[in-house]
């Protein structure tokens, strides 16, 4: 990959050479002088031209050159460039570069720069680092590989990935990094609706940057700080992920390379991220109260009121309509008419079956997921043109039945030199994605929230499957009553997956046309028009006969429905850039850029749904609505930004570097009087190793920069409008929206200071890059939450300040390097300290100290709170007495704080890090990556409800007296007049119940037992939110890759030039975590609402097999 | 080379030409910037009825608080958990955001509309009707929370609205009500069909205003503030001269049969397919003991037999605040579960009981307490289409002279029964008169734990904390057990 980067640079900087008709051909071989290994991918060029080739897997090359050409230039990144005489059969030995001074990296606007001259932090990974693991979203593969970027891989099949660079800097806006592919900004929005992001219900449709095909990626370059991104203008204030795609390269003779690769990946549930259930107590909320001795019942946890089989005797039935497991203790001698006894097709029809735990638990519901990736990649060139065509097909089935994701990605790019000084380049990338049966997210209508929160462990999943297969109906365990089979709250999961699902599709075109014109030796011009456009359709269907759930426009509860969301997106960018570069003197180098960027963005969405259910079952069409449709939700967002920018760069003696940039943007989203704004940056670096000549220090560089970046408002936040509701009997109903807009908005600003130190020892055997930064974002554009008594829930303001300070360290070393064996270590570590400094002060001087990002189920909210890191989780806390958790002296439960505004956690982690080790031995290579997050908190709604409903394994077992916890509490004096007196008399040795650690209100150690016989022992409503806050830390074995380059003898007769096979594992093992039964990274999707889990999918372990062939 | 310069020129002019529609980009093309004020009023009326008649556990739990209904499996609300589902927050959201703001905007737009002089009275009527709804809405807030933002509310430039003293708010509401009634002109029209309650009939609105005045007067009858007590008496007395005269005067929203214009009760009782609510034993036991014929209008019967093959139908309410079996308890009557069951705002029946109470309180109203009491029961029977009211009134346990207890118990119990489904009214009656006798739910241990108010929205603690704290201190603590200013006993 480096050769390409180099070549790109050559193309840009050197231009295109002349070609004569007369030519000759020579071949040769390139070795490393260091270890004698062949150098693969070294660039071999004819001096004075851009014509060249690269070496193959054996270091061999063959090049055609003009008959009169004398010299070829051989180069490879990290090695000294060598000029040698052009003669056939030449053997070239390249020596290692004494430093990495000549490394070329891609920076803002796609400008390739010498890394040594940069005064800011850029970190690059190769395409190989992100395309080994085949997944639906390459972004997940960046986790742990770059410092300062926090990637959250959620567990939703096809779900969205949260990408935050250097911490959240916008209080309410989009904090996601910008993705730019070959200079074209690529939309990465996540269209999940507010009901989905706040954990109610819906699907995670993923983020749009997942359309980028990892197989097309040559390099990924991450621009972290404002100085690095300043030239991109307002949209890049959260960092940029710059992607350079693969392409062909000019060669004198016509060449063509064909690569084929195939991958098969198998996914299975990581059981450490799924609940372990108790198997001792069955369905119901209480061991008593469903029937009584007066009814002749011996088992008060079972219903005993109906003569089910008509034999004149009252029978036992399950409290089917319940969805907890705090009911009657299992006993195989009790025969109960369970949910499967009422359908004539059931093998248990009219049979009372033993009251025991279900033979097959919810884990059996999951299947093995499979994905295949097939890729063909054809590239080639001749003296004036290059091309690359690639097609990738990705197909994946999930661990839930009836889920499928497929992508077809075709790319073509090519370049043609019209004259020596004029080159045209064009690229078109078409992506078609189709999804079906993505898992539901959130609380409602989600199989996972049933499995994690609301379940009866007497249910046999195998029987659920069988009954669905036998009847084809919603044969749910959660019947409304013994004689009423409609679903109370939960559907048969097999029927649900087969009938209630979403389908989605997006077809997208990303492309550009570019002209590069070398006006003079020093002055070049580039003009490019780029588009990114897609149409997306998301359809959701809910079959007649489903349990009721929030659905469609207005999110009312319905038992069937159909909805469709369409989105038409288009963004165009026109860029024109002049680039001047001149060595003014021997020592002073100057370059300057002057450019303009014209951006036009439009997104139009329509969301429509049936109203109050489907009229005819099975017809999923808007016209099949029971009631007249509600007005569809329509949005049209248009944004225009006109930018001009310039930069100057000076390099003195290849040691001192100074850059300055200035950009002015005019944004349509701001009021006309405030819509133009400037932002500057200044960067400097000093290579101090040039002053101290030693053997061990190969490079030493310090850098420092300051930048300001502005951000404009989202579209339509300036002028107030009204919104219309459905009319009532011909009368129009209009309402004032909940958010007050603001016609005085001005741009948000970020001020960023960054310093860094890069050192490299012993010819790159060991080195590090350290960055320190401090970013303050002020005048935040945000809809600040306000007291509802104002008549609004929020109003747009410019206020507040958020600070991100951090340290990033990238360290690399090659401890062992011999002829056959090499060991490389890479470590990335970053710590970002985020702090909300101020929020909003009103005209009277009152200060808002808390900004609610989201109010979520469980009484918790996610907030920006002054003095805390972004993402403070507030909710009810324990009541502390002398620092101890206080327990109620009557119930034995923890006392709950009277208010819900206690800070009980924070989403923001303390630090993230990754360590990768790779070993190469001859043709084998092995690498593994360990990815770590330390700190951060999660509120688990799953635990909050699941602990209440008594489904988890730890809700049973023995108490401190050695008796079953769920036994009744027995007092020494059961006849005492009040509960308090009974408690005072002490507990009998046979007593059940548990003692929560803590103290009573008087400070003495708690001895009061909690009654576990019924709902109310733990969990929701009876425990503080703080009890369900968990540490989100994890240590994961993120990736393991084993590849083997097949010996050439095996394939040399097949006209193959290279063949490798590989085994790739991802997310194989969560080495350590503190959150029970779930993956700490699981969430409802990307965005600012993190740190809260409800009904999340288990994580999957993925093992893939890859075959790569090159012709 | 010249060609290339030409290309450059074209490109640069293309760039500069891009700015044509720039200024228009940020105009919302999908939502109106101008609307008639009447459409906001209609919306507020619907929102208000949707709120008052709701039984969603996230929004309006007064039908549970008044122990008309109880829950089956999820018994959080019947055990007075107001926080988990942010019920108070939702009340603020509905009343301030959706209703009072739309009313304010409606009033503003209608005021600003230029009309010909012949239409001035119509315009005036519109503004005063809006005012009546404003007063009605604020009483909903005060009667639930006590002190609430009032004088500084609905001003987005003041994001920290202070809380006003509840009694002071009431005084101002009385004044606003009187001012509005004085300006209403029954000889002119008003909103016409845009008025979803009375079709623009101003005479009905005048009766509504007077009836509301009676309700407010009785609500604050026990207030210790002497001036307010005097206002209470004056309000009831003046209101009684032109208040509702029959059930035909009731203020209701005639819901339609289809979504979203059906009664919100239908959503939670039928459309969701959920089985969350059954009759509470509190009211069923009380009515059973009185052999109240309205049971058949209020509830269904449940099979209470424990013998196989034998059906024994009876009205059986689920123990309030306990886990209940849906299938073994009486359900809410089918008529109430119809999508077009009317949204009830204020009724003649209700007013009759207030007047009975007024008489007992020594207010100067025309009839005897017994006459009002009987009329209240009769009109309730008529409303529900139940026969047998004369026999019922003759029952010693019902007849005003012979029924058990003080006037508070008699009126409290019968008005609570008569005002079935009227959650907040039932709850307020209990708070003011301390009758009927409620049950203690499973997770509470004493009668004194039954809330007498709602705690403030959780987000007021964070968004308006200084004023929240001041209000909490002023009312004696933001607790469910802090009594409102009118709840002396």
């Amino acid at each position: 990959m480096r050769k390409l980067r180099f070549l790109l640079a050559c193309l840009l900087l050197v231009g295109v050479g002349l070609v004569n008709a007369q030519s000759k051909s020579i071949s040769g071989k390139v070795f490393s002088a260091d270890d004698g290994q062949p150098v693969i991918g070294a660039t071999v060029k004819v001096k004075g031209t851009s014509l060249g080739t690269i070496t193959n897997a054996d270091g061999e090359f063959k090049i055609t050159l003009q008959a009169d050409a004398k010299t070829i230039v051989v180069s490879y990144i990290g090695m000294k460039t060598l000029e040698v005489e052009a003669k056939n059969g030449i053997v070239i030995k390249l020596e290692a570069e004494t430093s990495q001074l000549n490394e070329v990296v891609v920076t803002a606007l796609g400008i390739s720069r010498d890394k040594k001259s940069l005064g800011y932090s850029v970190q690059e990974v190769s395409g190989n680092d992100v395309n080994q693991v085949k997944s639906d979203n390459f972004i997940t593969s960046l986790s742990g590989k770059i410092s300062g970027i926090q990637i959250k891989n959620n567990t939703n099949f096809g779900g969205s990935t949260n990408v935050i660079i250097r911490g959240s800097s916008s209080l309410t806006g989009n904090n996601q990094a910008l993705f730019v592919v070959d200079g074209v900004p690529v939309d990465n929005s996540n269209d999940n609706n507010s009901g989905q992001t706040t954990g109610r219900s819906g699907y995670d449709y993923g983020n749009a940057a997942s359309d980028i095909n990892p197989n097309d990626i040559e390099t990924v370059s991450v621009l972290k700080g404002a100085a690095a991104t300043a030239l991109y203008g307002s949209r890049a204030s959260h960092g940029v992920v710059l992607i350079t795609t693969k392409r062909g390269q000019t060669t004198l003779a016509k060449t063509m390379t064909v690569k084929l690769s195939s991958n098969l990946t198998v996914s299975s549930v990581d059981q450490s991220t799924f609940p372990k259930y108790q198997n001792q107590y069955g369905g119901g909320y209480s061991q008593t109260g469903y029937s009584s001795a007066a009814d002749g019942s011996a088992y008060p946890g079972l219903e005993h009121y109906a003569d089910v089989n008509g034999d004149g005797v009252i029978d036992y039935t399950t409290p089917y309509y319940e969805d907890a497991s705090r009911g009657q203790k299992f006993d195989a001698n009790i025969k109960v008419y369970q949910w499967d006894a009422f359908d004539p097709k059931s093998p248990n029809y009219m049979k009372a079956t033993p009251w025991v735990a279900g033979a097959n638990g919810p884990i059996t519901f999951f299947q093995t997921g499979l994905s295949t990736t097939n890729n063909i990649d054809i590239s080639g060139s001749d003296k004036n043109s290059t091309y690359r065509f690639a097609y990738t097909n990705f197909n994946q089935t999930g661990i839930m039945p009836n889920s499928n994701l497929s992508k077809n990605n075709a790319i073509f790019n090519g370049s043609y030199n019209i004259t020596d000084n004029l080159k045209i380049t064009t690229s078109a990338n078409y992506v078609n994605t189709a999804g079906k049966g993505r898992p539901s997210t959130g609380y409602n209508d989600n199989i996972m929230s049933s499995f994690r929160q609301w379940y009866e462990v007497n249910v046999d999943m195998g029987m659920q499957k069988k009954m669905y297969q036998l009847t084809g109906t919603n044969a749910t365990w959660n019947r409304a009553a013994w004689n009423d089979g409609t679903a109370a709250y939960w559907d048969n999961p097999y029927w649900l997956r087969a009938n209630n699902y979403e389908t989605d599709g997006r077809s997208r075109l990303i492309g550009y046309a570019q002209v590069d014109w070398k006006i003079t030796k020093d002055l070049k011009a580039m003009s490019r028009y780029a588009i990114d456009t897609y149409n997306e359709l998301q359809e959701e269907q809910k079959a007649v006969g489903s349990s009721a759930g929030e659905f469609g426009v207005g999110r009312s509860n319905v038992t069937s429905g159909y909805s469709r969301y369409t989105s038409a997106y288009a963004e165009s960018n026109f860029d024109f850039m002049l680039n001047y570069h001149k060595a003014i003197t021997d020592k002073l180098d100057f370059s300057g850029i002057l450019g303009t960027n014209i951006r036009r963005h439009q997104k139009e969405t329509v969301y429509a749904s049936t109203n109050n259910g489907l009229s005819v079952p099975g017809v999923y069409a808007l016209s099949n609505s029971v009631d007249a449709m509600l007005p569809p939700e329509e949005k049209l967002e248009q944004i225009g930004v006109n930018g001009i920018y310039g930069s100057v760069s000076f390099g003195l003696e290849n040691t001192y570097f100074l850059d300055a940039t200035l950009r002015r943007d005019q944004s349509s989203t701001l009021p006309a009087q405030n819509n133009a704004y400037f932002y500057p940056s200044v960067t400097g670096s000093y290579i101090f190793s040039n002053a101290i000549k030693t053997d061990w220090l190969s490079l030493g560089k310090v850098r420092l920069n300051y930048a300001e970046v502005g951000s404009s408002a989202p579209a339509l936040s300036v002028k107030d409008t009204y919104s219309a509701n459905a009319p009532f009997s011909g009368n129009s109903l209009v309402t004032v929206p909940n958010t007050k807009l603001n016609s005085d908005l001005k741009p948000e600003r970020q001020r960023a200071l960054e310093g860094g130190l890069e050192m490299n020892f012993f010819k790159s055997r060991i080195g590090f890059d350290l960055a320190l930064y401090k970013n303050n974002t002020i005048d935040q554009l945000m809809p600040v939450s306000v007291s509802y008594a104002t008549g609004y829930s929020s109003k747009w303001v410019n206020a507040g300040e958020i600070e991100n300070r951090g340290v990033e360290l990238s360290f690399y070393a090659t401890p062992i390097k011999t002829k056959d064996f090499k060991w490389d270590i890479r470590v990335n570590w970053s710590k970002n300290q985020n702090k909300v400094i101020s929020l909003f002060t009103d005209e009277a001087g009152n200060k808002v100290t808390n900004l609610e990002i989201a109010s979520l189920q469980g009484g918790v909210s996610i907030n920006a709170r002054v003095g805390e890191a972004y993402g403070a989780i507030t909710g009810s806390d324990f009541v502390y007495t002398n620092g101890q958790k206080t327990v109620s002296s009557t119930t034995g439960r923890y006392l709950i704080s009277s208010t819900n505004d206690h800070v009980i956690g924070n989403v923001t982690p303390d630090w993230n890090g990754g360590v990768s080790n790779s070993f190469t031995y001859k043709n084998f290579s092995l690498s593994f990556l360990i990815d770590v997050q330390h700190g951060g908190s999660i509120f688990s709604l799953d635990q909050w409800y699941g602990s209440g409903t008594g489904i988890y394994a730890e809700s049973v077992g023995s108490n401190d007296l050695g008796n079953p916890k769920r036994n009744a509490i027995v007092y020494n004096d059961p006849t005492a007049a009040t509960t308090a007196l009974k408690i005072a008399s002490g507990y009998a040795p046979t007593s059940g119940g548990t003692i929560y650690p803590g103290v009573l209100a008087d400070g003495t150690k708690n001895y009061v037992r909690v009654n576990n016989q019924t709902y109310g022992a733990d969990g929701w409503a009876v425990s503080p939110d703080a009890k369900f806050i968990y540490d989100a830390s994890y240590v994961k074995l993120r990736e393991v890759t084993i590849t083997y380059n097949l010996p050439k003898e095996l394939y040399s007769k097949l006209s193959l030039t290279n063949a490798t096979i590989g085994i790739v594992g991802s997310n194989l093992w969560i080495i350590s975590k503190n959150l029970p039964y779930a993956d700490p990274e699981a969430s409802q999707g990307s965005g600012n609402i993190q740190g809260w889990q409800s009904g999340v999918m288990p994580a999957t372990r993925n093992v893939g097999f890859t075959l790569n062939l090159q012709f | 080379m010249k060609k290339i310069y030409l290309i450059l020129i074209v490109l640069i002019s293309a760039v500069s030409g891009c700015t044509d529609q720039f200024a228009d980009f940020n105009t919302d093309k999908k939502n109106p910037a101008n609307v008639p004020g009447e459409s906001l009023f209609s919306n507020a009326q619907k929102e208000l009825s949707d709120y008052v008649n709701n039984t969603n556990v996230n929004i309006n739990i007064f039908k549970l608080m008044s122990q008309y209904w109880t829950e089956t499996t999820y018994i959080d609300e019947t055990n007075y958990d107001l926080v988990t589902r942010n019920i108070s927050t939702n009340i603020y959201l509905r009343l301030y955001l959706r209703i009072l703001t739309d009313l304010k905007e409606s009033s503003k737009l209608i005021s600003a509309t230029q009309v010909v002089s012949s239409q001035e009275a119509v315009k005036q009527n519109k503004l005063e009707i809006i005012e009546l709804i404003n007063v009605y809405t604020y009483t909903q807030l005060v009667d639930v929370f006590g002190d609430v933002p009032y004088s500084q509310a609905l001003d987005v430039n003041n994001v920290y609205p202070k809380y006003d003293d509840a009694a002071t708010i009431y005084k101002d509401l009385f004044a606003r009500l009187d001012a509005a009634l004085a300006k209403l002109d029954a000889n002119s029209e008003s909103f016409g069909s845009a008025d979803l309650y009375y079709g623009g009939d101003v005479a009905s609105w005048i009766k509504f205003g007077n009836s509301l005045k009676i309700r407010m007067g009785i609500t604050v009858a026990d207030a210790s503030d002497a001036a307010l007590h005097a206002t209470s008496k004056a309000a009831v007395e003046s209101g009684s001269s032109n208040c509702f005269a029959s059930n035909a005067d009731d203020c209701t929203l005639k819901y339609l049969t289809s979504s979203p214009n059906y009664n919100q009760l239908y959503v939670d009782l039928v459309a969701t397919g959920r089985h969350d609510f059954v009759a509470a034993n509190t009211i069923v036991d009380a009515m059973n003991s009185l052999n109240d014929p309205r049971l058949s209008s209020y509830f269904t019967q449940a099979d209470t037999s424990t013998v196989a093959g034998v059906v024994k139908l009876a009205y059986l309410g689920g123990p309030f605040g306990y886990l209940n079996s849906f299938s073994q308890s009486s359900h809410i009557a089918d008529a109430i579960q119809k999508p077009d069951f009317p949204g009830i705002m204020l009724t003649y029946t209700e007013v009759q009981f207030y007047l009975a109470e007024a008489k007992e309180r020594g207010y100067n109203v025309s009839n005897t307490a017994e006459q009002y009491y009987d009329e209240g029961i009769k009109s309730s029977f008529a409303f529900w289409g139940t026969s047998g009211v004369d026999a019922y009134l003759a029952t010693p346990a019902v007849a005003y002279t012979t029924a058990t207890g003080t006037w508070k118990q008699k009126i409290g119990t019968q008005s609570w029964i008569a005002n079935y489904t009227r959650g907040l009214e039932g709850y307020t009656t209990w708070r003011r008169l301390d009758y009927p006798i409620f049950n203690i739910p499973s997770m509470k241990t004493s009668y004194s734990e039954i809330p007498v108010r709602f705690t403030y929205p959780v987000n007021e603690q964070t968004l308006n904390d200084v004023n929240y704290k001041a209000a909490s201190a002023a009312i004696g603590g933001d607790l469910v057990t802090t009594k409102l200013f009118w709840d002396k006993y």
Side-chain angles (χ1 to χ4, degrees), chain B residues 301-366:
Chain B
Q301 288 184 305
D303 181 5
T304 58
S305 168
T306 57
V307 181
V310 179
V311 174
K312 189 178 152 199
L313 293 176
Y315 292 101
L316 180 66
F320 182 78
Y322 284 78
L323 290 171
N324 282 295
S325 160
F326 185 77
S327 53
Q328 292 174 81
S329 310
S330 282
H331 301 164
I332 293 141
D334 293 342
I336 299 168
Q337 304 199 30
K338 289 218 161 40
D340 56 351
F341 182 73
I344 308 170
M345 308 304 297
L346 189 64
T347 66
Y348 172 66
T349 300
E350 195 184 334
V351 172
Q352 293 307 299
F353 282 103
Y354 295 141
L355 291 172
E357 194 177 326
K359 191 71 181 182
E360 291 290 4
R361 288 178 181 275
Y363 293 2
N364 185 17
V365 289
S366 52

Side-chain angles (χ1 to χ4, degrees), chain A residues 28-327:
Chain A
K29 197 164 180 178
V30 182
F31 288 97
S32 161
D34 210 24
D35 56 10
Q37 287 290 297
V39 177
I40 305 162
T43 305
V44 183
K45 297 204 310 165
V46 184
K47 194 180 181 188
T49 74
S50 65
L51 307 176
T53 185
I54 56 161
T55 54
N56 68 11
D58 296 314
E60 295 163 351
F61 68 91
K62 190 175 183 189
I63 190 166
T64 310
L65 63 175
Q66 304 95 309
D68 57 346
K70 296 273 190 304
T71 312
I72 56 172
V73 182
V74 183
S75 61
Y76 187 72
I77 297 297
M79 291 180 166
K80 279 183 181 165
T81 300
L82 209 60
E83 293 189 7
V84 293
E85 190 186 343
K87 60 181 184 188
N88 202 24
I90 189 171
V91 173
I92 299 152
K93 287 189 176 176
L94 289 183
E95 290 194 3
E97 186 72 64
T98 50
S99 69
Q100 291 193 319
L101 284 188
N102 289 343
E103 190 177 352
V104 171
V105 290
V106 182
T107 66
L109 302 171
I111 300 164
S112 291
R113 296 276 304 266
D114 219 350
K115 196 178 178 194
K116 72 175 180 208
S117 71
L118 298 179
Y120 49 78
S121 168
V122 179
Q123 197 173 353
E124 237 179 36
V125 295
S126 74
N128 228 18
D129 284 325
V130 293
N131 66 23
Q132 293 274 2
V133 172
K134 307 295 178 187
S135 74
D136 58 285
N137 194 342
F138 84 94
I139 303 162
T140 59
S141 299
L142 287 175
S143 190
K145 290 174 186 160
I146 290 187
S147 64
I149 181 165
Q150 193 201 338
I151 310 258
K152 199 163 176 185
N153 290 315
N154 81 29
T155 52
N156 303 329
F157 175 73
S160 52
T161 301
N162 210 44
V163 184
I164 305 286
I165 297 177
R166 288 190 175 169
S168 296
S169 57
S170 266
L171 289 164
T172 60
N174 180 14
N175 276 303
Q176 306 293 309
L178 173 72
F179 284 78
V180 177
V181 179
D182 292 338
V184 182
V186 169
D187 178 59
N188 185 32
S189 57
N190 157 352
D191 276 358
N192 301 342
N193 65 44
S194 65
Q196 195 278 336
T197 55
T198 55
R200 297 302 300 162
S201 65
Y203 301 98
D204 181 1
Y205 285 99
N207 43 336
S210 64
D211 286 344
I212 298 166
N213 180 7
N215 285 317
D216 293 338
I217 297 175
E218 180 72 24
T219 61
V220 178
S221 176
V222 177
L223 309 181
K224 300 168 192 171
T229 64
L231 280 180
Y232 274 114
S234 38
R235 60 194 327 205
S237 53
H238 305 290
V240 182
V241 178
L242 270 184
I243 290 160
T244 307
T245 63
K246 296 171 182 167
R247 58 194 54 206
Q249 54 235 292
T250 357
T251 47
L252 190 61
K254 215 173 221 177
T255 61
M256 184 171 89
T257 307
V258 178
K259 291 178 193 164
L260 295 173
S261 83
S262 266
N263 172 277
L264 173 71
T265 298
V266 179
S267 304
S268 57
V269 174
D270 179 340
Q271 299 212 11
S272 75
T273 60
F274 194 73
K276 288 184 180 56
Y277 298 88
Q278 55 91 359
N279 58 3
Q280 296 178 32
Y281 297 84
Y285 276 84
S286 173
Q287 290 182 47
T288 57
Y290 290 97
S291 56
S292 69
D295 307 332
S297 165
Y299 310 112
L302 290 166
E303 291 198 322
H304 187 254
Y305 68 92
D307 174 14
V308 171
N309 54 11
D311 66 356
V313 180
I314 300 277
D315 299 303
Y316 284 105
T317 53
T318 321
Y320 315 103
Y321 49 88
E322 308 286 44
D323 47 8
S325 296
R326 288 202 176 269

Side-chain angles (χ1 to χ4, degrees), chain A residues 305 322-323 517 548 574 600 611 627 638 642 716 722 725 727 735-736 787 789 791 795 847-848 899 1015 1020, chain B residues 4 11 15 18-19 26-27 29 32 43 73-74 76 101-102 105 154 156 160 193 258-259 261 272 327 460-461:
Chain A
Y305 68 92
E322 308 286 44
D323 47 8
W517 178 31
F574 174 77
R600 292 294 177 267
N611 183 12
D627 288 341
Q638 291 172 306
N642 298 337
L716 308 180
Y722 300 94
N725 289 324
T735 189
V736 177
S787 164
K795 70 183 263 190
K847 288 187 166 69
V848 174
T899 58
Y1015 136 88
W1020 91 94
Chain B
I4 288 159
L11 286 175
V15 170
C18 275
T19 48
N26 214 27
T27 303
K29 296 165 185 78
N43 191 63
T73 298
Y74 308 100
D76 305 351
T101 301
D102 283 358
E105 189 74 8
L154 307 180
V156 75
Y160 302 98
S193 70
S258 64
S259 166
N261 294 325
T272 56
S327 53
E460 282 292 294
Q461 297 171 16

